[in-house]
């Protein structure tokens, strides 16, 4: 028997559907019926996570817990939150719901190729919370974050005019900004690029950027969710 | 206040995430918080719809109703099923759940450009059920369906080796088959192509094929759902 997956989504809604696509594509299935049972609560009214961490908005945790409880009642048994920033609270949310979660940040860090120097692209909330940096330190993986001026530009590419959350897809200005910032991280020694915000893969669709390996935590997390839920993970070399 | 949308999904899982993407992209939003609250039950164990209609498998309606009830308990107020074939039962399911549904087939037919001759591409279950043809007849819209040999190839492109449900994405052989079948529908007089199976848009990603207008019911249905749920529909000319 497989376990029903509960996705606490809407952070943002585009990231939720990208994660669902990863769940489908990373499952080794040949009919609809081979896929996992997935329940999704995509509540975009959950307050912005970075705004809260930077002291500029209300606490999103009550709304996250409420979504989790709705999913629990509907039958979800294994949880995941497709939002890097929200995962800074994964331990306390897991404890409050008394249900198992797949830890997005830990899974992302576990998927970094050995010997990498990681360029960390994330919201200012995720960067300030410091969870990625601590987990990378624990594994002895070196990392670089963008300088403050570039970090502001990362936020604009996500939230600003022409940004992913604003227009619901990748705009050319946002794409160009992320490419320039990534190049400067490479000049600082980064050999891989960790896309630690679910909106960034829309701006960096390639598996490689300027010679850096691109890591999308959604794919690694989808694979861990499938495995933990009892589904069959697609062999990596069989993904086109 | 907007209404919470309930998506009875998993028919198939790939179509469910494509419909969620359409819901995001067709909403006029500039922040996450402008989007609708969407609950999804993607239960791929729902028996195959076409297999039931053609007498080759069990009845999927009990599982569809069970998913609808779970969504209802979780708070869904307006329902939709991203599966053309399942929508042949939309009236009875709506009545059994006593909840409003957006009728996928009617919405698709309403989105056909005036004066079109429709080439209908669908599963054999949908074709045999005849709902699309009757609704097109009611509106005085002419239609063509593929000859039996081509209809078998449509099924292979969806279910067969290299088909969308089998490999979770568009394969080259399936793409080529659909293109050849579409060309023959055009030779029979079709001026537009109605992709009346949620798996087909993965094989026909263009807005036009060989001079025929391509109609993806997911987009029209997403727009009707957003409107009926009280969200703001993106102006059509503002979609890139």
């Amino acid at each position: 028997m497989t376990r029903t997956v509960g996705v606490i989504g809407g952070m943002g809604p585009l990231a939720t559907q990208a994660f669902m696509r990863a769940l489908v594509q990373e499952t080794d299935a040949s009919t609809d019926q081979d896929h996992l049972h997935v329940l999704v609560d995509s509540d975009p009214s959950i307050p912005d996570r970075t705004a809260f961490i930077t002291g500029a908005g209300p606490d999103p945790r009550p709304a996250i817990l409420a979504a989790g409880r709705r999913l629990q009642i509907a039958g979800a048994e294994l949880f995941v939150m497709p939002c890097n920033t929200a995962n800074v609270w994964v331990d306390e949310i897991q404890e409050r719901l008394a249900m198992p979660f797949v830890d997005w940040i830990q899974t992302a860090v576990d998927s970094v190729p050995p010997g990498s120097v990681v360029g960390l692209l994330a919201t200012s909330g995720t960067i300030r919370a410091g969870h990625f940096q601590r987990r990378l330190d624990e594994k002895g993986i070196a990392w670089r974050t963008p300088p403050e001026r570039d970090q502001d530009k990362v936020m604009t590419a996500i939230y600003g005019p022409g940004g992913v959350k604003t227009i619901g897809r990748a705009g050319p200005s946002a794409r160009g900004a992320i490419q320039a910032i990534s190049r400067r991280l490479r000049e600082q020694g980064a050999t891989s690029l960790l896309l630690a915000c679910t909106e960034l893969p829309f701006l960096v669709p390639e598996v490689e950027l300027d010679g850096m390996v691109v890591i999308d935590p959604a794919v690694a997390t989808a694979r861990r969710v499938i495995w933990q839920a009892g589904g069959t993970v697609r062999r990596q070399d069989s993904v086109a």
Side-chain angles (χ1 to χ4, degrees), chain A residues 196-209:
Chain A
C197 169
T198 46
E199 262 61 20
L200 292 170
F202 296 98
L203 300 173
V204 187
E206 317 299 334
V207 290
E208 203 193 279
L209 184 70

Side-chain angles (χ1 to χ4, degrees), chain A residues 7-13 16 40-49 60 62-68 70-71:
Chain A
V7 179
I8 302 179
M11 305 182 282
T16 303
V40 186
D41 191 311
S42 181
D43 182 1
S45 74
I46 296 177
D48 189 80
R49 286 64 61 194
I64 292 173
L65 282 167
R70 285 191 293 270
L71 291 168

Side-chain angles (χ1 to χ4, degrees), chain A residues 19 22-23 26 104 107 217-227 233:
Chain A
F19 181 70
L23 277 181
E26 300 299 326
W104 188 280
T107 308
V219 176
T221 308
R223 294 175 67 85
R224 192 167 285 189
V225 166
I226 296 161
W227 182 75
V233 181

Side-chain angles (χ1 to χ4, degrees), chain A residues 108-109 111-121 132-146 185 188-194 212-213 215:
Chain A
V109 168
S111 74
V112 171
S116 286
V117 177
V118 169
L120 186 61
L121 289 179
F132 272 98
Q133 298 94 312
R134 273 195 294 279
R135 303 276 177 85
L136 288 164
D137 284 344
E138 280 164 18
K139 297 196 74 166
I141 300 166
W143 49 268
R144 306 281 185 270
T145 50
L185 285 169
Q188 286 185 273
T191 60
S192 69
L193 209 53
L194 181 49
M212 287 180 289
V213 178
I215 303 161

Side-chain angles (χ1 to χ4, degrees), chain A residues 7-200:
Chain A
V7 179
I8 302 179
M11 305 182 282
L14 199 59
T16 303
Q17 68 84 11
F19 181 70
M20 289 183 71
R21 188 179 52 211
L23 277 181
V24 174
Q25 291 183 337
E26 300 299 326
T27 298
D28 186 16
S30 58
T31 72
D32 285 357
Q33 289 73 21
D34 293 336
H35 289 273
L36 290 171
H37 185 187
V38 183
L39 300 169
V40 186
D41 191 311
S42 181
D43 182 1
S45 74
I46 296 177
D48 189 80
R49 286 64 61 194
T50 280
F52 173 63
I53 291 173
T54 59
D59 189 345
R61 287 172 293 183
I64 292 173
L65 282 167
R69 291 208 182 93
R70 285 191 293 270
L71 291 168
Q72 204 172 357
I73 290 165
E77 298 158 298
L78 176 68
F79 287 74
V80 61
M81 295 186 284
C83 172
N84 293 269
T85 314
N87 274 270
V88 307
W89 305 301
V90 71
D91 288 339
E92 63 171 276
I93 291 167
Q94 182 167 253
E95 203 167 308
R96 295 280 295 275
L97 288 177
M99 293 301 268
F101 274 66
V102 171
D103 182 330
W104 188 280
I105 296 175
Q106 189 62 52
T107 308
V109 168
D110 289 345
S111 74
V112 171
S116 286
V117 177
V118 169
L120 186 61
L121 289 179
T123 62
S124 300
T126 301
I127 298 279
R128 186 180 295 198
H131 285 53
F132 272 98
Q133 298 94 312
R134 273 195 294 279
R135 303 276 177 85
L136 288 164
D137 284 344
E138 280 164 18
K139 297 196 74 166
I141 300 166
W143 49 268
R144 306 281 185 270
T145 50
E148 198 176 324
R149 211 177 136 228
D150 274 356
Q151 182 57 38
D152 290 345
K153 287 184 192 157
V154 173
M155 289 299 280
T156 304
I158 299 168
Y159 289 91
V164 180
K165 284 186 189 287
T166 318
I167 63 172
R169 60 188 183 280
S173 64
R175 259 184 215 276
I178 294 298
Q179 189 146 11
I181 294 160
S182 303
R183 202 167 293 138
R184 287 191 283 275
L185 285 169
R186 192 195 56 195
E187 286 160 13
Q188 286 185 273
T191 60
S192 69
L193 209 53
L194 181 49
L195 305 180
C197 169
T198 46
E199 262 61 20
L200 292 170

